[in-house]
Amino acid sequence: MKAFLILEDGMVFEGVSIGSDREVISEIVFNTSMTGYLEVLTDPSYAGQAVVMTYPLIGNYGITPDMESGRPWPDGYIVRELSRMPSNFRCEGTIQDFLAKYDIPGIAGIDTRALTKILREKGTMNGMITTDENYRLAQILPRLKSYRTGNVVDKVTCGSISRLEGRGKRVALMDFGAKGNIAKSLNKRGCEVTVYPAHTRAGEILEGKPDGIMLSNGPGDPKDCKEIIAELKKLYDSDTPIFAICLGHQLMALANGADTHKMKYGHRGGNHPVKDLETGRVYISSQNHGYVVDTEHLDPAVAVPAFINVNDGTNEGLRYAGKKIFTVQFHPEACPGPQDSSYLFDKFIEMMGGNQ
């Protein structure tokens, strides 16, 4: 079946339908990872977006247990070539069936690298995936231009409190769309991890007397999370050690008077270099974000930049003055991606007093 990707600037790509054949409008973003497509698909940070994979062959090892959550989250999936006969001793199915099961539409057979160049030059755009060969641009383009992702944190956060048992420090993990390996990275270091829904009140979390608080990654514009930001300010004032990743990093900054803005096309992939401003050392990181913290008007009495992106100089982390709080824009838990910065979980445990 033919399928079409229609961008809000009027450009149309023709390919073949994969997964569900329903029509969808979404924000079109690209990921440059060469492997780990399943971890990308199951990363809740992609809720509200359709993902373009720049690597030309996707699905060659099928569906394996390497999932970051219980289901895929993107609105749509866009690939150059989809492997329909995967080969791997852990393979449990095909991407085609996986997308169809969760009613996610996709398109294959288009030049994804040409599409990526367009998104880099013009910036992230909204788009539609449709199988309607009689589409009318004049009717579709206004819909594309008016589309907004909205507050998707509510869509991806957990519905109830859960716990990973451990004999070490007790960590409260706020789930704004957390990748599974965040809790696992803490748990394998001995931590007892209690996972809380995104809108849990600060008072409830503090009543549990955690040794530290972890703020997770998540999707969407951080400024849409006004109620969460207000609660994070209370956590900041509590003097409890806090470590934040990605959206959590942005939300903590907003809670303390900083600002954020949308990037032209964001950082999504497993090869982004970040520099530790204290040591001068550069790490290769996994990233997935379309918004960034502004540091031009950041009050140094509150926080100072800790990491920057080597490619474009944007902020990649903050250290909070007089507080046991540090936050990063990248993903130290990776999955997929390099493990260079996983030491930050050890730093967090040291901040909580270690596992004596």
Side-chain angles (χ1 to χ4, degrees):
M1 182 186 299
K2 286 184 180 180
F4 304 89
L5 171 64
I6 305 169
L7 299 180
E8 66 177 90
D9 68 349
M11 183 165 288
V12 179
F13 290 82
E14 181 180 331
V16 295
S17 175
I18 59 175
S20 170
D21 61 3
R22 71 180 175 88
E23 186 174 277
V24 67
I25 294 177
S26 189
E27 181 181 57
I28 312 298
V29 301
F30 63 87
N31 184 293
T32 59
S33 297
M34 296 177 68
T35 186
Y37 56 79
L38 188 59
E39 292 96 324
V40 170
L41 270 171
T42 54
D43 180 350
S45 292
Y46 283 111
Q49 298 174 327
V51 183
V52 181
M53 301 300 293
T54 63
Y55 192 72
L57 177 63
I58 298 296
N60 52 309
Y61 52 88
I63 300 301
T64 61
D66 308 309
M67 295 171 62
E68 284 299 294
S69 62
R71 55 153 295 165
W73 288 104
D75 287 342
Y77 203 52
I78 303 163
V79 302
R80 173 68 184 90
E81 181 180 350
L82 183 70
S83 175
R84 296 181 184 273
M85 296 181 66
S87 177
N88 185 279
F89 72 98
R90 299 189 307 155
C91 179
E92 300 172 352
T94 67
I95 286 217
Q96 169 78 356
D97 291 341
F98 190 60
L99 295 175
K101 176 181 178 180
Y102 290 97
D103 198 27
I104 296 175
I107 183 170
I110 69 171
D111 189 339
T112 52
R113 295 194 175 185
L115 172 58
T116 298
K117 288 178 70 174
I118 291 169
L119 296 175
R120 282 177 60 90
E121 291 166 5
K122 296 185 177 182
T124 297
M125 286 186 275
N126 295 331
M128 172 187 283
I129 297 174
T130 182
T131 57
D132 182 5
E133 296 187 39
N134 299 312
Y135 64 83
R136 296 183 180 181
L137 278 180
Q139 296 177 355
I140 293 172
L141 294 183
R143 293 171 60 197
L144 298 184
K145 293 180 187 299
S146 64
Y147 173 80
R148 238 185 131 259
T149 300
N151 186 355
V152 278
V153 168
D154 291 352
K155 178 180 178 181
V156 300
T157 189
C158 59
S160 60
I161 297 172
S162 62
R163 181 174 290 110
L164 285 175
E165 298 296 336
R167 297 184 177 181
K169 295 299 181 182
R170 293 178 296 109
V171 177
L173 169 58
M174 292 199 70
D175 177 15
F176 307 133
K179 293 169 65 179
N181 205 42
I182 294 178
K184 290 177 184 176
S185 294
L186 292 166
N187 192 236
K188 76 179 182 181
R189 289 168 170 81
C191 295
E192 176 185 284
V193 183
T194 303
V195 184
Y196 290 89
H199 290 281
T200 304
R201 298 295 183 184
E204 181 179 350
I205 293 173
L206 295 174
E207 282 175 8
K209 301 187 185 305
D211 296 303
I213 299 169
M214 183 90 222
L215 309 181
S216 83
N217 63 293
D221 184 342
K223 291 180 180 177
D224 286 335
C225 302
K226 293 180 175 60
E227 293 180 4
I228 295 172
I229 291 168
E231 295 303 310
L232 293 191
K233 184 63 169 68
K234 298 173 186 176
L235 295 179
Y236 169 88
D237 292 334
S238 74
D239 289 330
T240 305
I242 297 175
F243 178 25
I245 292 173
C246 199
L247 179 64
H249 155 76
Q250 298 163 9
L251 294 174
M252 180 56 73
L254 289 170
N256 288 281
D259 197 9
T260 59
H261 69 264
K262 189 171 185 177
M263 305 174 76
K264 185 176 181 181
Y265 50 81
H267 296 155
R268 297 175 181 87
N271 60 347
H272 291 265
V274 296
K275 182 177 181 180
D276 185 329
L277 296 177
E278 188 173 18
T279 66
R281 185 171 179 178
V282 173
Y283 301 90
I284 302 302
S285 69
S286 172
Q287 300 200 14
N288 174 14
H289 63 105
Y291 292 83
V292 67
V293 174
D294 294 325
T295 56
E296 289 184 10
H297 306 294
L298 186 67
D299 184 353
V302 175
V304 295
F307 291 88
I308 62 168
N309 188 289
V310 176
N311 289 334
D312 61 15
T314 54
N315 179 256
E316 293 283 1
L318 296 173
R319 285 187 292 108
Y320 284 78
K323 294 280 186 177
K324 292 182 178 181
I325 299 175
F326 71 98
T327 68
V328 294
Q329 182 62 76
F330 51 94
H331 287 264
E333 87 291 345
C335 286
Q339 303 294 315
D340 294 28
S341 57
S342 61
Y343 75 93
L344 292 174
F345 288 102
D346 299 316
K347 178 180 176 180
F348 181 43
I349 290 172
E350 290 173 9
M351 186 183 291
M352 292 186 287
N355 271 333
Q356 296 88 358

